[in-house]
Amino acid sequence: MKHWLIVLLLCFGSVSAQLPKSADSLKIYIDTKPKDTNYVQALSDYSFIKIQEGDLDAASKLIDKMDALTKKLDWKAGYYKTTNMRGVVEYSRQEFEKAMAYFLEAEKIIIKYKLPAKIYQNWLNNIIVINNDIGDREKATAYATKL
């Protein structure tokens, strides 16, 4: 499963700004930088590290901060990032139905706000992974052809 978790966010990281990569540097960034869209991305990156470390509660708290700031900034891509990260947390808990619900909600955000193709590709990747994990290889393959 760890392999698929890494695949889940492979594209996700490619849409981020130039931010620190290590947990310590991200923590310092979060503690010291202004609360803008880069800050939301830093929260997202840091929450992913927490997910990889198995600290899903800490990741959820960071995602809640992402959500509040995204709403305050009305940052369209942030709505996607927040919803996507909630899906990743549920995926990590092996709550595939809940994760799928978040990923499907993320698709609605992509369509509503006409987000860039990179974000849509990330979403497709997540849908492929989760369909594969729940054993629906036919759906996973169908989505893979769109990717």
Side-chain angles (χ1 to χ4, degrees):
M1 184 178 85
K2 188 174 183 179
H3 167 73
W4 283 111
L5 185 59
I6 292 168
V7 171
L8 263 176
L9 288 179
L10 188 61
C11 296
F12 184 65
S14 69
V15 297
S16 66
Q18 289 288 30
L19 294 172
K21 299 296 179 203
S22 72
D24 292 339
S25 296
L26 280 167
K27 178 73 171 109
I28 291 168
Y29 185 96
I30 289 166
D31 290 343
T32 61
K33 297 298 180 182
K35 291 175 175 54
D36 58 10
T37 57
N38 285 335
Y39 186 90
V40 174
Q41 183 60 51
L43 288 170
S44 179
D45 292 350
Y46 192 49
S47 66
F48 185 62
I49 289 171
K50 290 298 181 186
I51 291 167
Q52 289 177 312
E53 292 173 352
D55 193 348
L56 302 180
D57 291 336
S60 292
K61 288 176 185 173
L62 291 165
I63 295 166
D64 289 342
K65 287 182 183 180
M66 285 175 60
D67 186 43
L69 185 55
T70 291
K71 288 175 181 169
K72 181 179 178 185
L73 297 171
D74 192 30
W75 186 39
K76 310 307 188 236
Y79 294 129
Y80 168 79
K81 290 175 184 294
T82 300
T83 304
N84 183 66
M85 287 306 293
R86 290 189 195 285
V88 174
V89 167
E90 294 304 328
Y91 178 86
S92 298
R93 289 187 171 124
Q94 297 188 345
E95 294 286 345
F96 298 132
E97 287 182 28
K98 289 179 183 178
M100 181 68 85
Y102 280 117
F103 292 144
L104 293 175
E105 183 181 335
E107 178 190 27
K108 292 176 186 173
I109 294 167
I110 292 167
I111 293 166
K112 179 178 180 178
Y113 297 117
K114 298 178 177 125
L115 296 177
K118 278 186 177 184
I119 290 176
Y120 180 70
Q121 290 167 342
N122 177 65
W123 175 81
L124 280 172
N125 183 63
N126 292 346
I127 292 295
I128 292 165
V129 169
I130 200 156
N131 275 297
N132 185 60
D133 282 354
I134 63 175
D136 194 340
R137 301 204 192 287
E138 188 174 321
K139 254 190 194 173
T141 301
Y143 282 111
T145 60
K146 291 181 182 183
L147 185 61

